[in-house]
Amino acid sequence: MTAGGKCLLALVLLLSPAGTALAQDSLILVRRDAQVASVGFRFAGTSSFSDGELGAQLAVKGRGSLYPVRRWLGELPLIPSPGAYRFDPVELQKDVVRLRRFYQRSGFIRPRIDYDVRLDHDGGLVGIVYLIDEGPWLRLRSLGLRVPYGGSSSTVPPALATDWNQLASALDAAEGRRFGDAELADAEAQTAAWLRERGYPFAAIRSQRAVDSTAGDLVVHLAVSPGPRVRFGQISAEGNASVSDGVVLRELPFRSGDWFSTSAVAEGRTRLQSVDLLSRAVVDVDSQPARDSTLGVRIRIEESAPRLTLAEVGYVSEGAGLTGRVQWTHPNFTGGARSLTASVEGQTGAGAIGTEAEQLLRLSLSLTQPYVLTPRLSFTAGPWAEYRNDLHDESGAVGIDATLIYRLAALSSLALGYRFSARNIREYHFGDITAGDVDLLALLAARYPPLIDSLGDHENRSSLTLAASFNRVDHVADPTRGWLIRPSAELTLPSSFNTAEFGRLDLSVSRFHPLSRTTVLSGRFTVGRLFPFGKSIPGPGSDPFFSFIHLRDESMTAGGTNDVRGWGDRKLGPKVPDVEANIEGTDTVLTADRYVPIGALARITGSVELRFPAPGFSPGWQGHLFLDGGRVWTPDERFSQSPLLPEGSPFRFSAGVGLSYQTPVGALGVSMGYKLNPSLLDERDPNDVTQALEAGSSVEDLPAQWLRRVHLHLSFGVAL
């Protein structure tokens, strides 16, 4: 051990604020290159902040737990390697001061901060625990608003008196609570936002505080100088070379003469940036009002050229495997800021785990008119073509989509759409089980070929859809607070254009509630119902399943990476072995290595998930615990007579854990679900089930395989 290393630790003992005890033999073992293994907190009494909030105040960082694993993961592309933090006793002392000041700014009167340092056996790793006694805190006794009434230009007009009183009442709600610098800044920001939303962009707010540290009370006054109330003045556009000023200015939610509003300026900027033609849009507002008490507005834009606007690659472990999407856009096709978009997307099925690989190739062309009578209304239409080879069938289709979209607010909208498609089916993919003794489709097709032929090889669909999205979340990509509601309804019409006729209702509701600044509790609920009618109603004496086959694209299923995670993609609910018939000599041998979903007419699913920072990982990593559940069944006697479409079906549950990381090219996620109450087939090998059915023996007698209760989900980037 060098002398320099001994002096380094001796400095810790000298500067320790409360003479923190370090064993004398630690002086011998510590090294100059010692690293901080961990940083923690221990509280004497209350704990008002999370470890993450306190850790953000510190300069000394710990490398955290699972360090060898994270170093190994850091060798992978796009995943950063964890840092190594040298132990610095001077910074340790500074961190004590930083924590003390943080608590004082947060309204605590006399916080006490100490620390405890521990070394490993060779002195190479240091563990630090901060000992915190928060002590008493300042309680807000009252918070008042004061407006100087020296003249008409500096007062709030009587027309706003009611709203002003409501603001004062909202601020009064903080009385009796802990009140620090952050809470004061929030009150000032809330007051300033209220004024700037109602025509007072030059409002000034000065706070005055009177502290009684003995009683632990705080009185706050916000002295408000509203300044002059102004309107929007002249609005001009700059930088638009291929379209007129009117095409640009029509997107704004305000006009000359309207009262100034910061939210209107922000919404105008958002609307302009949503137009494909405008690669950049800046809304400049004059810094001083004109003589007529108006503020001029200049819109400075840059136009886009035809370009590749999207190129993505992703991976989903179930079915889709390796996926990709490419999109090209002409931002001003035929003028008027109309955009033409061509896209190619596909899933190869390569790398699919535990399920049949599903291929898809889709090409589409769409023309978007961004302004239809009003800035909030846009129209998109265009043709598409696709080839697919999935659990439903191997087929090709062409069609056309047309959609009117009305923007309600940021990411909230109403959409009215129409779709027509014509599909040519090369081969159906499904199985069948008859009542009593079980026969698979391969046998059924051999015995009753006219019945299979009656399905035909061509399907048409013409439908009208009404969908909506309502949300109030803090962050779109990773919400921590708020809610999201998505209802939709679809109806096929007219009858002559459709092979199958149905109505469909779906509803999805999500809720996010923060338990702390880093921990979020989220819930999700979905429900769906399919209502066949007309041509899709089974005739007297016919097997309802053959009528149901034409509804397979709309059938209700559950299970998968973003659904009930204890099951594979669409595998919760009615399913059968995916049987292959192989000729061996003079015998036909049936085998199956997976199940295929059948679906049903109704579904309901739910999920409760706890998200939190992954212990020992960098802030980009998140862990989650979840409990999922779902039920898929057919509450229609006309269809539930088929054994494949049971009317009664219990609610299935799964629980599990997961880990995710947000990379620059998309989210990397892994989760593992465990089936709590699996069905008969969930725990049994599909090939064993096939052999038992062919032999006429009982499936219940087959051995249950507990490993089939576990399902692993992997995803990266785009999930098509």
Side-chain angles (χ1 to χ4, degrees):
M1 182 66 202
T2 64
K6 295 180 182 180
C7 292
L8 182 65
L9 189 58
L11 184 60
V12 179
L13 291 172
L14 178 64
L15 296 178
S16 174
T20 303
L22 276 175
Q24 291 300 317
D25 56 357
S26 297
L27 283 171
I28 301 174
L29 298 175
V30 72
R31 300 202 307 259
R32 176 182 290 274
D33 61 348
Q35 296 182 4
V36 181
S38 64
V39 174
F41 304 90
R42 189 161 66 242
F43 300 89
T46 60
S47 171
S48 302
F49 305 100
S50 69
D51 288 1
E53 293 172 285
L54 296 175
Q57 314 302 318
L58 305 178
V60 176
K61 306 290 184 180
R63 68 183 192 179
S65 58
L66 301 177
Y67 182 73
V69 176
R70 290 159 49 223
R71 284 199 62 182
W72 177 80
L73 291 174
E75 300 296 327
L76 301 177
L78 305 178
I79 299 180
S81 179
Y85 299 96
R86 187 178 64 85
F87 176 65
D88 187 336
V90 176
E91 285 297 335
L92 176 64
Q93 298 300 316
K94 291 181 179 179
D95 279 344
V96 170
V97 178
R98 294 184 182 106
L99 284 175
R100 184 180 300 116
R101 290 177 178 174
F102 170 75
Y103 271 97
Q104 291 170 342
R105 292 194 305 269
S106 300
F108 291 90
I109 303 173
R110 291 179 295 274
R112 297 182 59 189
I113 314 295
D114 204 340
Y115 59 81
D116 186 16
V117 176
R118 292 290 182 263
L119 307 175
D120 68 347
H121 66 281
D122 64 354
L125 295 177
V126 178
I128 302 172
V129 177
Y130 291 92
L131 312 175
I132 300 175
D133 183 357
E134 296 181 337
W137 42 267
L138 289 174
R139 180 180 291 101
L140 180 64
R141 184 192 305 168
S142 65
L143 191 156
L145 292 172
R146 294 179 178 176
V147 182
Y149 290 92
S152 59
S153 63
S154 62
T155 62
V156 175
L160 297 177
T162 301
D163 289 349
W164 181 257
N165 292 333
Q166 291 177 352
L167 171 65
S169 298
L171 295 176
D172 288 342
E175 292 182 3
R177 302 177 183 175
R178 177 174 55 83
F179 203 84
D181 290 355
E183 290 73 22
L184 178 60
D186 287 343
E188 293 175 347
Q190 187 175 352
T191 304
W194 186 96
L195 291 164
R196 291 164 186 164
E197 186 61 24
R198 290 163 175 81
Y200 297 94
F202 306 107
I205 300 172
R206 182 170 55 88
S207 61
Q208 298 174 337
R209 292 187 286 185
V211 178
D212 184 348
S213 57
T214 302
D217 286 341
L218 174 70
V219 176
V220 176
H221 295 288
L222 299 182
V224 180
S225 298
R229 195 179 189 197
V230 300
R231 299 178 183 269
F232 287 109
Q234 182 181 2
I235 306 174
S236 60
E238 302 175 0
N240 46 311
S242 60
V243 294
S244 65
D245 289 1
V247 172
V248 177
L249 301 184
R250 71 187 183 186
E251 298 293 331
L252 300 178
F254 56 86
R255 296 292 181 265
S256 297
D258 293 347
W259 288 115
F260 178 85
S261 166
T262 52
S263 67
V265 173
E267 183 180 353
R269 184 183 301 109
T270 300
R271 290 186 184 182
L272 290 168
Q273 292 173 344
S274 67
V275 178
D276 288 334
L277 175 63
L278 310 180
S279 61
R280 182 172 179 268
V282 178
V283 182
D284 281 337
V285 181
D286 288 346
S287 59
Q288 294 295 328
R291 292 183 178 180
D292 58 354
S293 295
T294 62
L295 285 175
V297 180
R298 290 177 303 281
I299 311 299
R300 296 187 290 111
I301 66 171
E302 294 180 7
E303 296 184 354
S304 300
R307 68 197 189 283
L308 186 70
T309 56
L310 184 68
E312 296 178 322
V313 176
Y315 171 77
V316 180
S317 61
E318 298 169 345
L322 185 65
T323 66
R325 179 169 56 179
V326 177
Q327 181 174 293
W328 177 88
T329 299
H330 190 301
N332 195 31
F333 187 72
T334 72
R338 285 177 289 273
S339 61
L340 181 68
T341 301
S343 65
V344 179
E345 58 188 71
Q347 58 187 45
T348 64
I353 300 173
T355 185
E356 183 177 356
E358 300 181 43
Q359 291 85 33
L360 171 70
L361 178 62
R362 183 183 178 91
L363 298 87
S364 63
L365 195 66
S366 62
L367 181 66
T368 299
Q369 171 63 50
Y371 183 98
V372 180
L373 302 179
T374 173
R376 293 182 179 272
L377 189 63
S378 61
F379 177 73
T380 300
W384 55 269
E386 75 172 23
Y387 165 81
R388 76 182 188 192
N389 186 8
D390 59 13
L391 296 177
H392 289 148
D393 55 46
E394 181 182 1
S395 63
V398 295
I400 186 170
D401 289 341
T403 307
L404 272 171
I405 303 174
Y406 185 79
R407 295 193 302 269
L408 299 172
L411 299 177
S412 293
S413 62
L414 293 172
L416 178 64
Y418 173 77
R419 163 173 286 194
F420 176 81
S421 65
R423 182 173 299 277
N424 186 66
I425 302 163
R426 179 179 178 184
E427 181 181 358
Y428 287 96
H429 295 166
F430 56 88
D432 189 38
I433 303 179
T434 61
D437 293 336
V438 181
D439 295 318
L440 299 171
L441 179 63
L443 300 179
L444 184 64
R447 296 175 182 176
Y448 306 106
L451 194 57
I452 301 301
D453 294 340
S454 67
L455 295 176
D457 59 2
H458 196 76
E459 292 181 349
N460 290 337
R461 174 179 166 184
S462 171
S463 66
L464 197 64
T465 302
L466 179 63
S469 177
F470 310 101
N471 82 84
R472 185 175 295 172
V473 295
D474 52 354
H475 303 290
V476 178
D478 187 20
T480 61
R481 182 189 301 273
W483 48 264
L484 175 64
I485 302 176
R486 291 177 177 171
S488 66
E490 183 178 7
L491 180 66
T492 56
L493 54 87
S495 175
S496 57
F497 284 14
N498 286 279
T499 304
E501 295 180 274
F502 62 88
R504 176 176 178 141
L505 296 176
D506 289 280
L507 175 65
S508 173
V509 179
S510 299
R511 181 73 168 89
F512 307 92
H513 179 72
L515 301 180
S516 70
R517 293 193 178 182
T518 57
T519 304
V520 177
L521 181 66
S522 66
R524 183 187 72 248
F525 171 79
T526 66
V527 61
R529 179 72 161 89
L530 192 64
F531 300 92
F533 65 89
K535 299 175 183 178
S536 295
I537 300 301
S542 64
D543 189 337
F545 182 67
F546 284 89
S547 297
F548 182 80
I549 288 174
H550 290 298
L551 297 169
R552 65 194 182 283
D553 282 342
E554 303 299 326
S555 66
M556 302 291 175
T557 59
T561 302
N562 298 311
D563 200 55
V564 185
R565 282 162 283 189
W567 280 261
D569 186 33
R570 295 168 284 177
K571 297 297 177 60
L572 188 155
K575 54 183 171 289
V576 294
D578 183 16
V579 179
E580 293 184 1
N582 301 302
I583 306 299
E584 297 183 4
T586 59
D587 299 328
T588 299
V589 179
L590 302 180
T591 60
D593 58 0
R594 60 180 63 89
Y595 292 103
V596 292
I598 297 298
L601 297 184
R603 66 166 268 168
I604 180 172
T605 67
S607 174
V608 177
E609 180 174 291
L610 183 68
R611 299 185 318 197
F612 49 89
F617 285 76
S618 62
W621 289 91
Q622 274 196 337
H624 53 269
L625 302 173
F626 60 84
L627 175 66
D628 296 344
R631 182 189 180 202
V632 179
W633 78 108
T634 300
D636 189 327
E637 293 182 356
R638 297 169 300 184
F639 286 86
S640 59
Q641 297 173 4
S642 171
L644 284 176
L645 306 171
E647 180 178 8
S649 177
F651 216 98
R652 306 290 179 185
F653 294 95
S654 68
V657 299
L659 187 67
S660 63
Y661 180 75
Q662 190 68 37
T663 74
V665 294
L668 170 67
V670 56
S671 60
M672 183 180 67
Y674 180 80
K675 303 177 183 69
L676 299 178
N677 59 334
S679 69
L680 181 69
L681 297 184
D682 286 333
E683 292 186 290
R684 286 160 176 83
D685 182 85
N687 193 58
D688 293 343
V689 172
T690 301
Q691 302 304 319
L693 296 177
E694 186 179 18
S697 57
S698 174
V699 175
E700 289 86 345
D701 296 335
L702 295 174
Q705 301 177 3
W706 72 267
L707 192 58
R708 298 188 66 85
R709 285 187 174 222
V710 179
H711 199 93
L712 185 67
H713 303 268
L714 301 172
S715 63
F716 176 71
V718 185
L720 299 177

